[in-house]
Amino acid sequence: MDSEFEVPRELSGLQKKRAQYHPELPPCLQVSASPSSSILGITVRVEFGDSTTCADPSSANVIGRAFPHTFGQPLAHFLRATAKVPDAQIITEHPPMRVGVLFCGRQSPGGHNVVWGLYKAIKIRNSDSVLLGFVGGTEGLFTQKTLEITDEVLATYKNQGGYDLLGRTVDQIRTTEQVNAAMIACNDLRLDGLVIIGGVTSNSDAAQLAETFAEAKCPTKVVGVPVTLNGDLKNQFVETNVGFDTVCRVNSQLISNVCMDAQSAEKYYYFIRLMGRKVSHVALECALQSHPNMLILGEEVALSKLTLFDITKQICDAVQARAEKEKYHGVVLIPEGLIESIPELYALLQEIHGLHNQGILTDKISSRLSPWASALFEFLPPFIRKQLLLHPESDDSAQLSQIETEKLLAQLVEKEMNRRMEECIYKGKTFDVICHVFGYQARGSLPSKFDCDYAYVLGHICYHILAAGLNGYMATATNLKHPVNKWRCGAAPLTAMMTVKRYSRGPGAVPVGKPAIHHATVDLKGKAYELLSQKAPSFLMDDLYRNPGPLQFEGPGADAKTYTLAVEDQDYMGRMKKLQEYLDKVKSMVKPGCSQEVVKAALSSMASVTEVLSVMTTPSFGGHQPL
Amino acid sequence: MDSEFEVPRELSGLQKKRAQYHPELPPCLQVSASPSSSILGITVRVEFGDSTTCADPSSANVIGRAFPHTFGQPLAHFLRATAKVPDAQIITEHPPMRVGVLFCGRQSPGGHNVVWGLYKAIKIRNSDSVLLGFVGGTEGLFTQKTLEITDEVLATYKNQGGYDLLGRTVDQIRTTEQVNAAMIACNDLRLDGLVIIGGVTSNSDAAQLAETFAEAKCPTKVVGVPVTLNGDLKNQFVETNVGFDTVCRVNSQLISNVCMDAQSAEKYYYFIRLMGRKVSHVALECALQSHPNMLILGEEVALSKLTLFDITKQICDAVQARAEKEKYHGVVLIPEGLIESIPELYALLQEIHGLHNQGILTDKISSRLSPWASALFEFLPPFIRKQLLLHPESDDSAQLSQIETEKLLAQLVEKEMNRRMEECIYKGKTFDVICHVFGYQARGSLPSKFDCDYAYVLGHICYHILAAGLNGYMATATNLKHPVNKWRCGAAPLTAMMTVKRYSRGPGAVPVGKPAIHHATVDLKGKAYELLSQKAPSFLMDDLYRNPGPLQFEGPGADAKTYTLAVEDQDYMGRMKKLQEYLDKVKSMVKPGCSQEVVKAALSSMASVTEVLSVMTTPSFGGHQPL
């Protein structure tokens, strides 16, 4: 059943050296090698936290109904061998296990290390266990095309970029047909576990698959791993995604190089579109690393409902202000998702997608648009019209990678600057712009040390999840801004990350649609955004370009982490554990027999805590409400 | 007269660390720091070689007439303090010197280090010497806008990319007005030397300036430094250019990442256009580093006179052959100069440029084309028509960076594949292509260690040239494929690098036009090309993608050199010295008084040598004949 293995690969010197790098493990995942303690050494220790809900309380019912078997499962924390937790589950038996693993969704640097970490964790506990990789991703799953992972197979893929060890294809397990094919494959191959490596939609699919398997009493447990360069699979449990670090660093290098170029030649503006799907995490992080003059943040545009005209004006005003200081160069970052954040374009895209869904042929769509949408459509340059008419992607978003928003803005800004020039409003030199798109050239990169470590650790955690018999969980490592030996490892139910879309805001809004894990947008109240906002005016005018340089594996910069990770105040999992400790402590301090005063003090304090919390968790308080 | 200095720059950790890196010097440039030997320590030792000619003997007269003062000057070699050469010139006096330096032409990583090296070499010999940087390149020269280079000014620019320390502008010193302005500046500022950092055309300008200065008895000596990312300022004396190494390594990283992407997704072809001007050195080197599936080498196309149709067919056949092996992805490299190598497009561009020169307005040009050119023009897609109509650059070439040859080929290949599909000649999946342009994002990079060292060494050599009182020379370092302590340092007259264009080939062809340094094309008999040719079939079919990884400054790969440098059998300067040694040896062995037999043996051997050489140096032998 195994596919033939590829021709031997020629690795460069650096690739070979990287292949020899061995990521560290946090204490809770370390295996003691001494033979005297061999059983103790490979023990898996799980402590279960409280049962989970979801961030938006009003959605809990909807999600609970849709996922009766997998909603509300407890958090899991994996503990080091020396940890003294009385009610931890100690797993010392490791019968042979059969696990399948697949890549799902766009390749993200580090993916290979998840496979490697999982393989190591499985084999060290039972050499009879088998790890099967599905060749060609989901298609390999449906057609049961597998490659048994061995040391030889992995040899040239450790710490390497791409997904080419196994490849990937359709990237969804959603239709009944697909879900059934997956279940048949898991049954036929007698899999104890199925590990899905992917982003937001792949992990939504994983959650659905877990529920379906549980319902159908299929014994295969489904585990998700957060691997996506977009960095948008972020929530209470997940601090960052495998690949985000690398992609931001490679992009930042390129942006910095372009900034350097702009400043040396002093005659061009560069408009750079960055891959990153609907959200602007990559663009925000790159701006923090490289200090370009402007970043048009999709989330800001959406919040302020800026029109194409507003954005054009904003850029033109900046160009004009810079020209007054004799600066005729600059660098502007544009997230690829921006196009969907501009209200009138979003509305136009919705109409177009609606007509696609009605089966209208592409070349008939423009004649079927509403008068309003039609007017906008005709106003746009021909190249962008063609791109807007492309079929939407599987998650119903536009084909963002194909829509040249940067060129659209470049044309509009150029036109407006020429107008201002003719009308003598602008008196500087002619506005000259060069457009770039960065994405494909970053996502195939050798993964950074951080992504190598993070992915490898998550791979190990997948084994722990399967050993604990958990289904519908995501592997999580937290406290990531600290060194690996401080990382905390655990697992959270996929359903706890879900939200339900609603079409209006406010307390009365009714959730509609299927529960799913949604793209986390850039938090405009978050610290990363705050950091950028503070610096934006000087970035705009003072050219404080900063060059993080090419990704290093040794020496300075090799251990740098993303700003987003470093400044955000995260560690949700750690806090949940801490809270549990407080609750336990209160319980143990206020045991029957203690004084009346102690009980009264406890009651009064607890009443106040619960009061505050009940106010905060009512929907009208403005908790996390996805659009 | 100094311009105000810029706002302090924020350097990243890696930039700071790089700023602390101190390049090594070859023994001949090293300064002994011991006070007892202070005069000996800062001595400059020059050995002069034979007087120079040029590579194409039939052009020598033309060049000699155009450059009466600077043609035929001898080679210069700089020697280590311990070298025992009887007739070397020993320069121990270093009166205060005033030197100007400017960037001319497109920025190339490492340029800043030439300034640094020059500054160090000047100041260590006389702290009263002054180095003035011209702000804004040639424009700064003409308007005498200078910045005095000091340790403080240099602090944040050592080993950093870009040209932003001084900037650059018009990039030519060619018209009588420009040359006069330059001479006035040199006189006004009482410059002993003027160092021009640039590529092919800038060094041609430098040669002309040197000649004009000599004619006008202007005391300023002009020195050129070979700094261009294109790598096309190559000749007997110059092995490679500052910036080429970095740019090829950054581009190769990106190409490799795209290859990785192609292989992971297995659904796209990527057409990547590479910056590098008329010639394909960058593309060739990148192909050797990263092993893409195809490289359309401009020089091959020109030699075989391949039409647009031929190239399209060649790519389509490759796509079809790969599809038969179930491969629907691939990476194709396209040098930006390719468009000028395709015969019919070259002819069309010549017509367009001719009409531009006649002062015809751009929007009238298409109606003035010959019927033949007009037919081709109308056949091309609108976007490329617009780009072909752009005004030519100062060296009369098309605006290569603006012409999207990769998109043109992508469209033509797509159309042809669709035709083959309709006619059932091709039965695979739909051909899907994504286009990229790499250039701006590479040339602003932090320079590689090699470029840091090479540029710094060349900066030192500039001082040696000025100390020796030479005018119209280029700083040269050779034997570069070996470690820095084996490098040989010298200087060659700029006129010895010149050739004269001719419009036909063969022995009777008459040189026309002004002598100039011309772009060196990729040598189709050279070892680098041979290496690629051998591997091309397996690159095409077997996906032997290789990822050199991001540019490293420590650890493996940090000291790697370009393939082009490593495989080429160069060291011309070393061989010229060796020859001189042989000639001297013969002379000393055949002194008057030696036996008749010895004289006869010498005569017979020398007769045979001169016979062979005279055959080889007649024009019909097919020596170096530029197009």
Side-chain angles (χ1 to χ4, degrees), chain A residues 12 163 261 264 443 547 551, chain B residues 12 163 261 264 443 547 552:
Chain A
S12 70
Y163 274 7
D261 204 73
S264 300
R443 72 183 192 186
N547 195 339
L551 184 57
Chain B
S12 69
Y163 274 6
D261 204 75
S264 301
R443 71 182 192 187
N547 195 340
Q552 297 299 289

Side-chain angles (χ1 to χ4, degrees), chain B residues 98-154:
Chain B
R98 292 176 62 83
V99 179
V101 62
L102 73 153
F103 294 124
C104 194
R106 290 183 177 178
Q107 48 271 37
S108 190
H112 286 143
N113 271 26
V114 177
V115 179
W116 179 27
L118 174 58
Y119 173 78
K120 283 292 280 190
I122 286 179
K123 285 286 184 179
I124 211 160
R125 291 187 173 82
N126 193 324
S127 59
D128 293 336
S129 290
V130 172
L131 179 61
L132 297 176
F134 288 103
V135 177
T138 47
E139 218 164 76
L141 174 64
F142 305 146
T143 58
Q144 305 187 22
K145 192 173 173 199
T146 63
L147 170 71
E148 184 174 341
I149 305 297
T150 62
D151 281 318
E152 291 68 44
V153 166
L154 279 173

Side-chain angles (χ1 to χ4, degrees), chain B residues 493-524:
Chain B
L494 290 163
T495 50
M497 302 170 187
M498 289 190 166
T499 45
V500 183
K501 286 202 185 194
R502 59 195 66 200
Y503 286 129
S504 65
R505 280 161 178 269
V510 181
V512 291
K514 261 182 82 165
I517 303 174
H518 288 105
H519 301 275
T521 54
V522 166
D523 181 3
L524 298 184

